[in-house]
Amino acid sequence: MAKRRGWSGPDRRCQCSKRAQFFRMRAKMSRYAPSETEPKWQAAWDEAGVFTAKRDPAREKYYVLEMFPYPSGRIHMGHVRNYTMGDVVARYKMSCGFSVLHPMGWDAFGMPAENAAMEKGGHPKEWTYGNIADMKAQMRPLGFSLDWTREFATCDPEYYGQQQAMFIDMLDAGLVYRKNAVVNWDPVDMTVLANEQVIDGRGWRSGALVERKELTQWFFKISDYAGELLEALDGLKDWPEKVRLMQANWIGQSRGLQFAFDLVGAPEGFDTLEVYTTRPDTLMGASFAGISPDHPLAKALEAANPEIAAFVADCRKGGTTEEAIETAEKLGLDTGIRVKHPLDPNWELPVYIANFILMDYGTGAIFGCPAHDARDFEFATKYALPITPVFEPLEGDYPAAEFVPLKSEKVRYVKGFAGGEVQTGEEGVAAAITECESRGFGQGVTKYRLRDWGLSRQRYWGCPIPVVHCAACGVVPERKENLPVRLPDDVSFDKPGNPLDRHPTWRDCTCPSCGAPAKRETDTMDTFVDSSWYYARFTSPRAETPTVAEEVDYWMNVDQYIGGIEHAILHLLYSRFFARAMAKTGHLPPKAVEPFNALFTQGMVTHEIYMTRDANGRPVYHLPEDIEDGKVKATGETVEIIPSAKMSKSKKNVVDPMNIIADFGADTARWFVMSDSPPERDVEWTAAGAEAANKHLARVWRIATEIAEADAPANPAEDDALIKAAHKAIDEVTRSIDGFAFNKAVAKLYELTNTLSKSKAGAEAKRVAMKLMAQLMGPMVPHLAEDVWRLLGGEGFVVQAPWPKADPALLVEDTVMLPIQINGKKRGEITVPKDMPKDEVEKLVLADEAVVKALAGGQPKKLIVVPGRIVNVVI
RNA sequence: GCGGGCGUGGCGAAAUGGUAGACGCAAGGGACUUAAACUCCCUCGGGUGCAAACCCAUGCCGGUUCGAGUCCGGCCGCCCGCACCA
């Protein structure tokens, strides 16, 4: 084989040198060929069982989990980014010697499967399992370090049967109950609609105006845990602050006064009206009482009074979302009933039914103080009710509208009845509660905004609620030996509504209690139930019980959980509750009540949108792959480019990861999604960026092959510099991965690549540095890392090689450069020994040319020396 | 409407309160090549200036500080969530 030094020698430059050189290069340096090597390494990892998690009490475990996907059928770049982040952590921890659990499964129940069945025919089961197979086939080429032996789908009867068993245990433990709650009702299709199926107050299919309707539904008693879920947030040190804040606000603890108004002129049985207020200090500014349209009093009035019935019916129009209710026009109706003011029996207030008062919060009744509440102000203005200020600002004028200062701000009470004249709102509230309690009406109470978790869904494709309705025994849980209560396969989706309801035989059963003929519950569970314990099931996915003690003891908790910020509240809060409910029913150890030790919320993958317009001026969207130089390839039309947005099918700004893998390989896709943007922020997919990522990996491979062939002798100064750079990279990449700053780890690897490329070090030093680089880049680009590792004689798999440790001696610099600022602006710099004492630095600074010039013979006012950092001369 | 977050060159970004723009993309120039591709080298926030230098600049307005992209207050814009989308 020809030696490298012959390449550029003038003696070799014969007329056919180019051709010869080409063939020599082919022979010596195989090109970067991910399509060949990636499947090879994946097969090798599989064969060696590298990623099969093993319970090994001798080793410390590490559980990495990415939020499992809904099986839509196609993976998208968001998945690639999410799972690559998890993979980086999993492979890194594996190299650090942990026994790693990194599983994957499918959040497989839910509406899209039923919608597909309605639109295209077929069965939700076939659709779902087909999608799972497709998506798995798309995920495998990405080379994730997943333990596929633990895979399951939440629609597997083996999974939902265990969920039913836990439901029964939780029912026994008093964690589940039934009550009435409102749903979106489509009066034309005669069916319950999900919030997303209500568009501008109308049903998505029928177009009918949606109504709020009450149904009896199952609830988890999450509100029993409101205080605990709130307090425990403080212990979640490795969760993003914003998520903890959002959850705290969602739980919404408040301290207030609950008291009863005496009613005047109310129907029989309604002597008093219980209200809850967080501002009892404004009681003297009350101008009306308000009740929810769903309040029992409103219902009683509705039955007897057609005007009220019409108004209440009007209030029930529209969807159930808080957003819809909060943004709707404030409507009220004077019931003619009056309440007596508790501080003055001669003072009566009108009672209104108002559409913005929620039955689910507090007591469903309030008193309004328009002077100090924006919503009450709007309402009072509209209905010409009195507006009486209770307090004023200490300084400045009283505002034209309502005056709502922070509760921590001091104000002057002009109509207070408790505490000092000048006090904060908080002090005013506390004093008012004490005063009311001592006067014998009302008491201070702590309430939460958090409502109980309604889990009933009037749909087919979900986990059946395992209860039976018996004429004699009432609602009875199914016997555990009869679980799972399986979904029937023979169902049709040709009409709206729940197919379980109209199935000819499925409902029929015998009462588990008395044995008489009975009917099954046809509601299924909210899919949030499925996703509230899958992390625990991964520890023993095939067990005959929901969990197995020794497995959950070993593997729980999840050490690192990764997913989208959109799950900040509901999924994560429900999981925190469910873990507590599982602990109470003996399915999780007490240590697992907070199941996720660390949480990371990643940003979206976005892309530009390409749009043209049709003859009618309506927008037409185009796939990125159909665009070239700002024009539609097929027609040559110029496209309008809309700035980046979340990838969505309807806007066609999607990039199929499969195309990227086909063009460049999995490592390129992985490298790209880890580079540039910080993981918590959105990342924009660009074709140029993907090509650049690919070029970089090809360059690394080329440098590696050159190094493998190199025979340059040792060169002490250069060798030391290179090894020092490599150790600096170890330090920086390690800290970046630990800190979830993958973009910075990538930047450091670019730097090390540049250093390696330019280095004049000897062959041996270069091989050492390149092998270190293979290890450092392994978590991001595992296939290329294995290639490089093997090429340079590494033993075994790089993913199993111990993570390199930076030698602290190689990280320190002997001298530091200190910028010199004059009045905060950089005007020069000096280089000094690292440990130079302050007074010597000062001497050097005062002798500096720029400083001498600026001082013009005078003395500085101040001289600030931050050792090793900066110097500031204040003149 | 309510709650939370984000905002830095042409673009993605970096920066324990301490040199604003590391690293990458795009662009421009050069080397290699018959040519191109590949690869390699150089320049690259804006402005004034022959130059040395200096000024402006982290969404906008103010404040704290020797020093603010970073901390505080107020605005503007965009994004996420709002309990039956997952």
Side-chain angles (χ1 to χ4, degrees):
Chain A
M1 199 172 269
K3 286 287 181 196
R4 194 181 196 288
R5 72 179 103 86
W7 286 22
S8 53
D11 51 327
R12 295 279 178 150
R13 289 219 159 203
C14 62
Q15 63 251 57
C16 59
S17 66
K18 238 175 20 190
R19 195 178 153 80
Q21 192 174 323
F22 175 77
F23 282 109
R24 230 175 283 135
M25 279 174 68
R26 272 276 291 265
K28 289 169 69 97
M29 293 170 30
S30 61
R31 76 202 152 77
Y32 174 53
S35 59
E36 288 159 31
T37 61
E38 288 181 353
K40 187 187 79 186
W41 288 117
Q42 286 157 19
W45 294 325
D46 272 358
E47 201 181 323
V50 174
F51 307 129
T52 308
K54 289 173 206 81
R55 181 158 54 87
D56 177 359
R59 278 199 299 164
E60 204 178 332
K61 65 89 192 183
Y62 196 90
Y63 184 179
V64 197
L65 185 67
E66 300 100 58
M67 290 180 186
F68 65 164
Y70 180 79
S72 63
R74 303 294 299 177
I75 64 164
H76 53 68
M77 278 300 164
H79 293 126
V80 176
R81 194 177 189 211
N82 188 190
Y83 305 143
T84 301
M85 285 178 200
D87 204 43
V88 169
V89 174
R91 286 173 179 271
Y92 167 65
K93 292 293 177 183
M94 217 172 282
S95 288
C96 291
F98 289 92
S99 167
V100 171
L101 173 58
H102 186 206
M104 183 54 68
W106 309 95
D107 190 12
F109 275 136
M111 288 202 309
E114 286 189 51
N115 292 340
M118 268 184 267
E119 280 158 24
K120 294 167 214 141
H123 193 281
K125 187 169 155 183
E126 311 299 330
W127 186 85
T128 303
Y129 282 104
N131 282 352
I132 288 172
D134 289 348
M135 276 179 87
K136 190 174 171 186
Q138 292 163 44
M139 279 170 73
R140 301 223 53 163
L142 282 159
F144 296 132
S145 62
L146 293 165
D147 179 358
W148 285 104
T149 67
R150 291 172 187 257
E151 176 193 8
F152 61 77
T154 55
C155 62
D156 295 341
E158 294 74 22
Y159 183 80
Y160 70 71
Q162 299 302 332
Q163 189 165 303
Q164 290 169 339
M166 285 196 294
F167 177 90
I168 290 167
D169 290 343
M170 290 175 190
L171 185 61
D172 288 343
L175 290 162
V176 193
Y177 70 104
R178 294 215 306 165
K179 71 167 179 182
N180 284 355
V182 290
V183 293
N184 301 305
W185 180 254
D186 185 323
V188 170
D189 277 351
M190 301 291 280
T191 183
V192 177
L193 299 178
N195 285 334
E196 71 160 9
Q197 296 173 319
V198 179
I199 297 153
D200 295 330
R202 291 173 182 275
W204 66 334
R205 284 178 196 284
S206 69
L209 279 172
V210 168
E211 297 164 9
R212 290 197 282 271
K213 185 186 169 178
E214 279 200 351
L215 285 183
T216 304
Q217 315 214 50
W218 288 97
F219 284 83
F220 283 120
K221 275 197 155 178
I222 189 172
S223 63
D224 279 1
Y225 289 81
E228 192 190 323
L229 288 167
L230 179 66
E231 275 168 32
L233 285 171
D234 288 340
L236 299 177
K237 303 280 184 229
D238 291 321
W239 280 42
E241 184 59 34
K242 61 179 169 183
V243 174
R244 291 189 286 163
L245 234 186
M246 280 191 260
Q247 291 212 353
N249 288 337
W250 185 261
I251 294 168
Q253 187 181 62
S254 64
R255 178 76 184 161
L257 180 76
Q258 184 162 332
F259 67 96
F261 280 116
D262 287 331
L263 283 162
V264 179
E268 207 170 314
F270 291 94
D271 299 330
T272 60
L273 179 67
E274 280 286 328
V275 300
Y276 172 72
T277 176
T278 58
R279 291 311 297 260
D281 57 323
T282 65
L283 207 41
M284 294 305 287
S287 75
F288 64 96
I291 59 173
S292 165
D294 299 315
H295 193 277
L297 177 57
K299 286 181 181 168
L301 295 169
E302 182 185 3
N305 182 332
E307 194 199 348
I308 289 177
F311 177 76
V312 168
D314 210 31
C315 289
R316 291 199 185 117
K317 277 186 188 147
T320 57
T321 69
E322 197 168 297
E323 187 187 0
I325 292 164
E326 294 276 335
T327 52
E329 193 197 352
K330 310 284 174 282
L331 294 176
L333 180 73
D334 188 346
T335 58
I337 296 170
R338 297 288 178 266
V339 290
K340 289 185 179 173
H341 196 286
L343 296 170
D344 178 0
N346 298 319
W347 183 1
E348 289 191 350
L349 303 171
V351 177
Y352 276 75
I353 298 173
N355 65 346
F356 59 85
I357 300 170
L358 304 169
M359 191 58 223
D360 291 311
Y361 185 61
T363 61
I366 59 152
F367 78 81
C369 176
H372 306 296
D373 181 275
R375 211 164 42 183
D376 293 349
F377 183 85
E378 189 188 331
F379 191 81
T381 308
K382 186 165 179 175
Y383 295 102
L385 293 159
I387 297 166
T388 313
V390 173
F391 47 74
E392 300 171 340
L394 291 187
E395 285 162 31
D397 298 328
Y398 194 89
E402 73 280 0
F403 172 50
V404 189
L406 292 174
K407 269 191 189 170
S408 55
E409 204 174 294
K410 278 197 169 163
V411 292
R412 172 171 294 108
Y413 280 77
V414 292
K415 276 184 83 78
F417 64 97
E421 187 186 313
V422 172
Q423 59 187 342
T424 65
E426 279 153 5
E427 289 161 351
V429 168
I433 290 173
T434 309
E435 177 68 22
C436 292
E437 282 178 342
S438 73
R439 289 195 192 195
F441 78 92
Q443 56 181 347
V445 290
T446 298
K447 284 205 189 288
Y448 297 92
R449 201 185 74 101
L450 180 68
R451 309 199 294 256
D452 276 335
W453 171 12
L455 67 119
S456 301
R457 296 293 180 272
Q458 295 72 41
R459 272 183 256 289
Y460 166 78
W461 194 234
C463 170
I465 295 174
V467 297
V468 167
H469 298 266
C470 169
C473 310
V475 180
V476 186
E478 182 55 272
R479 288 169 186 268
K480 279 200 180 168
E481 59 265 33
N482 294 337
L483 299 182
V485 176
R486 282 174 184 268
L487 287 169
D489 289 335
D490 53 335
V491 285
S492 68
F493 294 88
D494 46 358
K495 46 187 157 194
N498 182 355
L500 295 179
D501 266 339
R502 53 176 189 262
H503 191 280
T505 56
W506 185 78
R507 297 186 73 167
D508 299 327
C509 61
T510 53
C511 173
S513 174
C514 69
K519 296 283 184 193
R520 286 197 186 289
E521 168 93 32
T522 58
D523 282 356
T524 53
M525 293 187 205
D526 178 9
T527 56
F528 274 126
V529 183
D530 311 337
S531 56
S532 287
W533 73 287
Y534 76 109
Y535 51 86
R537 184 67 180 172
F538 275 135
T539 64
S540 53
R542 315 282 170 244
E544 302 281 321
T545 47
T547 57
V548 172
E550 56 188 358
E551 299 290 348
V552 285
D553 279 341
Y554 180 74
W555 291 113
M556 286 300 287
N557 300 342
V558 176
D559 293 282
Q560 181 67 59
Y561 195 33
I562 307 170
I565 186 69
E566 65 272 22
H567 296 292
I569 297 174
L570 293 180
H571 162 61
L572 289 164
L573 190 60
Y574 288 156
S575 294
R576 294 178 61 219
F577 160 73
F578 211 80
R580 284 169 169 77
M582 284 176 74
K584 189 174 180 187
T585 49
H587 297 295
L588 274 182
K591 69 165 185 178
V593 295
E594 284 299 343
F596 311 122
N597 289 349
L599 172 71
F600 189 87
T601 55
Q602 100 272 8
M604 298 179 298
V605 181
T606 64
H607 197 282
E608 294 178 326
I609 297 168
Y610 305 112
M611 187 184 81
T612 55
R613 289 181 187 279
D614 69 8
N616 300 318
R618 280 190 296 252
V620 177
Y621 298 102
H622 302 273
L623 287 167
E625 63 221 50
D626 297 335
I627 305 298
E628 204 170 64
D629 300 327
K631 294 193 168 66
V632 180
K633 274 190 210 166
T635 62
E637 268 179 292
T638 303
V639 295
E640 209 177 305
I641 296 174
I642 299 169
S644 262
K646 180 176 182 167
M647 287 190 179
S648 85
K649 264 190 205 163
S650 62
K651 298 284 191 316
K652 290 205 176 174
N653 61 334
V654 290
V655 174
D656 191 328
M658 291 304 98
N659 293 339
I660 302 302
I661 294 171
D663 290 348
F664 301 118
D667 280 346
T668 292
R670 297 171 56 121
W671 185 255
F672 181 87
V673 293
M674 288 297 98
S675 59
D676 292 347
S677 284
E680 67 275 15
R681 222 186 284 183
D682 293 351
V683 64
E684 183 179 6
W685 184 275
T686 61
E691 274 166 37
N694 186 250
K695 260 187 216 175
H696 169 75
L697 299 184
R699 181 175 183 229
V700 169
W701 176 242
R702 197 169 54 245
I703 294 169
T705 55
E706 284 166 10
I707 289 174
E709 295 287 327
D711 56 5
N715 178 346
E718 293 286 334
D719 291 1
D720 288 355
L722 180 61
I723 296 304
K724 207 167 169 176
H727 276 257
K728 223 173 141 190
I730 294 173
D731 180 55
E732 288 171 333
V733 170
T734 304
R735 280 192 287 122
S736 297
I737 293 178
D738 273 329
F740 254 78
F742 305 124
N743 56 322
K744 284 190 247 171
V746 166
K748 297 303 170 195
L749 288 167
Y750 268 109
E751 267 178 23
L752 184 58
T753 307
N754 288 337
T755 305
L756 259 168
S757 164
K758 290 184 181 130
S759 173
K760 301 276 191 297
E764 195 43 45
K766 281 192 176 184
R767 278 192 274 272
V768 169
M770 193 73 210
K771 276 178 75 181
L772 285 172
M773 181 147 114
Q775 291 187 271
L776 296 179
M777 68 185 186
M780 290 96 168
V781 285
H783 312 88
L784 176 59
E786 296 287 6
D787 279 331
V788 171
W789 182 252
R790 191 59 60 91
L791 179 72
L792 296 174
E795 297 274 324
F797 293 116
V798 73
V799 63
Q800 291 181 315
W803 191 254
K805 281 199 168 54
D807 180 349
L810 295 177
L811 299 178
V812 291
E813 301 289 342
D814 301 332
T815 59
V816 287
M817 197 276 289
L818 292 180
I820 299 176
Q821 292 183 331
I822 295 172
N823 289 337
K825 296 201 173 190
K826 195 202 163 192
R827 286 293 182 262
E829 58 187 51
I830 47 171
T831 301
V832 299
K834 185 167 63 81
D835 305 319
M836 182 180 258
K838 240 181 177 176
D839 53 339
E840 281 183 47
V841 174
E842 284 177 13
K843 270 182 222 160
L844 282 176
V845 169
L846 292 174
D848 184 82
E849 203 184 330
V851 176
V852 170
K853 205 174 137 196
L855 283 172
Q859 282 297 307
K861 273 192 202 151
K862 212 167 175 184
L863 187 55
I864 295 150
V865 178
V866 185
R869 269 289 173 189
I870 203 163
V871 179
N872 193 7
V873 186
V874 185
I875 295 170

